[in-house]
Amino acid sequence: MEQAFSSVIALIFLSRVQVIQVFSHRMYMEAIETLAIQRDLPSAIRNQQIKPVFQPIVSCITGEIVGFEALARWQHAELGAISPARFIPMAEESNLIVELGEQVLTQSCQFIQRFNEIRAEQQQPQLSVHVNFSAHHFSSSTLLENLRTTLQESMLAPQHLVIEITESMLIERPNESVKRMEQIKQLGVGLALDDFGTGYSALNTLCQYPLDIVKLDRSFVLRLMDGQQGEVLVRAIVNMARDLKLAMVAEGVETHEQMLKIKALGVEEIQGFYYYRPMLAADIFALTEAKLSVEVCS
Ligand code: C2E
Ligand code: MG
Ligand code: MG
C-alpha cells in the first residue's frame, strides 16, 4: 500500500515536471521566434518580401465577386508563413508600418487596375480593392500626397479604392480622425469601418463619421448562430447601417448556414472562407481567364 502510494506521488511529480518542461520549451520557442521576427522584419519590409494576397468579397444574392480585401503575407525563410496578427503590431511599434502600408497600397492599386482592365474588355462592372490602414499610416503627414501619387501612377480611379480603418483609431483621436476622413473622401476614395462591434464603440459611432461601408466583425457572425440574442443585435446593426445608407460586409462567414442567416438579415456582401480564402493575385488572374475562356467556348 505504502509502495503504491509513493508510486502515485512519483507519477504526479513526474507529469508536473513534464508539463513544466513542455510549457517552458514552448514559451522558449515562442520567444526565439518573436526575436527572429523582430530582427528580420525591417529587412523584409525594405526588400518588399511582404506582399498582399486578395480575398474576394462576394454578393450572396448573385454569387459574383464584388470586390477584394488586400491582406499582407510574409513567408519567412526559416519560420514559414507568419500571420499579420503577429507582424503588423510589431511594425506598428515603429514607423515601419507606414512603409509597409505604402507598399501594400501600391501593389493593391496596381492589382485592381489590371483586374479592372480585363473586366472592361468583357464589359463587366469595375470593382474596388479594400486596403487596411494602421493608425500611424492613417494620420501620417504624407498620406494624402502619397495617395494622390499612387492613384495617378497606377491610373486607378479613386472610387475603386477603399481604405479600412478600425474603431479604436477613431475613438483615440475623434476630431483628427473625422478631419482626415473628410480629406480622404475629398479625393474620391471610399472608407470602411473594419471589425465593427469588437468592443470599442456603441452603435451611434456609425453616424458620427463619414463612412461608406461597415464591416461586421466575425464574432457577430458566430453570435448569430448562438440564438435569439445575437440575431436581435445583428438585426439592429443592419437596420441602423441601412438607415444611414451604409453598405455592409459580413466578415468571416464560413458555412452555408451562416451565409443563409446573414442573407436573411439583408446583408448582401460577404467575405469569408465559405466563398473564397485570400488568394495570390496570379491565381485570381488565372481564375478570371479560365472563367472567360469557358464563357467564350460555351
Ligand atoms: P481584417 O482586416 O479584419 O481581415 C480579415 C481577416 O479575417 C483576415 O485575416 C482573413 O484572412 C480572415 N478571414 C477571412 N475570412 C475568414 C473566415 O471565413 N474565417 C476566419 N476564421 N477568418 C477569415 P489575416 O489575413 O490573418 O489578417 C488579420 C488582420 O491583420 C486583419 O484583419 C488586419 O487587421 C491585419 N492586416 C492584414 N493585412 C494588413 C495590412 O496590409 N495592413 C494593416 N495595417 N493591417 C493588416
Ligand atoms: Mg480589414
Ligand atoms: Mg475585419
Side-chain angles (χ1 to χ4, degrees):
M1 177 73 180
E2 205 174 285
Q3 205 183 358
F5 183 71
S6 52
S7 328
V8 171
I9 296 287
L11 258 174
I12 292 172
F13 181 72
L14 201 69
S15 61
R16 286 229 169 138
V17 170
Q18 277 171 339
V19 167
I20 290 167
Q21 273 179 345
V22 169
F23 188 58
S24 60
H25 181 71
R26 188 165 2 109
M27 280 175 65
Y28 172 75
M29 291 312 289
E30 264 178 33
I32 296 277
E33 256 188 44
T34 304
L35 282 175
I37 295 171
Q38 273 168 345
R39 181 197 60 203
D40 297 339
L41 188 59
S43 65
I45 294 175
R46 230 174 292 119
N47 300 326
Q48 304 213 2
Q49 286 163 356
I50 301 177
K51 295 183 189 305
V53 288
F54 300 94
Q55 185 176 26
I57 300 169
V58 177
S59 157
C60 59
I61 310 295
T62 62
E64 296 277 314
I65 296 175
V66 292
F68 295 92
E69 177 174 12
L71 296 160
R73 290 290 179 268
W74 181 16
Q75 191 66 30
H76 189 280
E78 288 139 33
L79 302 174
I82 301 170
S83 162
R86 232 167 149 196
F87 67 78
I88 293 285
M90 286 186 195
E92 272 168 349
E93 280 167 19
S94 63
N95 221 25
L96 285 172
I97 191 68
V98 178
E99 201 176 331
L100 176 60
E102 283 298 322
Q103 289 175 12
V104 171
L105 176 71
T106 303
Q107 292 178 49
S108 302
C109 289
Q110 289 167 348
F111 158 75
I112 200 70
Q113 174 61 16
R114 214 178 122 209
F115 188 81
N116 278 340
E117 281 166 10
I118 300 174
R119 284 176 68 89
E121 285 167 21
Q122 306 300 319
Q123 278 112 39
Q124 303 231 39
Q126 302 283 281
L127 306 186
S128 308
V129 69
H130 292 215
V131 179
N132 292 287
F133 268 40
S134 66
H136 232 64
H137 194 188
F138 182 68
S139 56
S140 75
S141 57
T142 51
L143 176 74
L144 296 174
E145 198 42 50
N146 287 349
L147 264 177
R148 268 190 220 102
T149 312
T150 308
L151 288 167
Q152 228 165 45
E153 286 178 356
S154 60
M155 296 191 293
L156 182 69
Q159 67 267 27
H160 299 131
L161 174 65
V162 175
I163 290 175
E164 290 194 5
I165 53 176
T166 56
E167 289 171 279
S168 56
M169 285 158 63
L170 304 181
I171 304 292
E172 275 157 27
R173 303 167 72 194
N175 296 336
E176 289 93 333
S177 298
V178 171
K179 198 168 156 217
R180 185 35 59 104
M181 288 168 89
E182 278 162 358
Q183 290 167 330
I184 291 173
K185 294 224 28 140
Q186 271 163 19
L187 293 178
V189 172
L191 281 169
L193 187 61
D194 201 2
D195 306 338
F196 181 73
T198 42
Y200 289 98
S201 56
L203 280 179
N204 65 3
T205 314
L206 292 180
C207 30
Q208 291 171 10
Y209 301 103
L211 290 162
D212 302 288
I213 301 167
V214 175
K215 297 189 78 177
L216 190 69
D217 189 67
R218 176 169 178 258
S219 54
F220 279 118
V221 176
L222 295 174
R223 280 181 80 171
L224 206 51
M225 309 312 286
D226 269 1
Q228 203 67 32
Q229 268 194 339
E231 192 165 329
V232 169
L233 195 61
V234 177
R235 195 181 295 280
I237 297 171
V238 171
N239 287 341
M240 185 153 182
R242 190 180 301 125
D243 289 346
L244 294 169
K245 311 234 170 338
L246 294 168
M248 183 164 268
V249 178
E251 295 189 282
V253 174
E254 292 183 350
T255 66
H256 187 69
E257 207 188 345
Q258 289 173 346
M259 182 277 283
L260 289 179
K261 280 228 166 187
I262 288 287
K263 189 177 175 184
L265 287 174
V267 180
E268 291 181 10
E269 296 188 359
I270 286 180
Q271 181 181 346
F273 298 168
Y274 174 66
Y275 285 108
Y276 295 97
R277 284 184 179 258
M279 295 191 282
L280 293 170
D283 292 339
I284 294 173
F285 288 122
L287 195 77
T288 314
E289 270 150 29
K291 197 171 158 228
L292 290 179
S293 57
V294 169
E295 278 165 13
V296 169
C297 295
S298 56

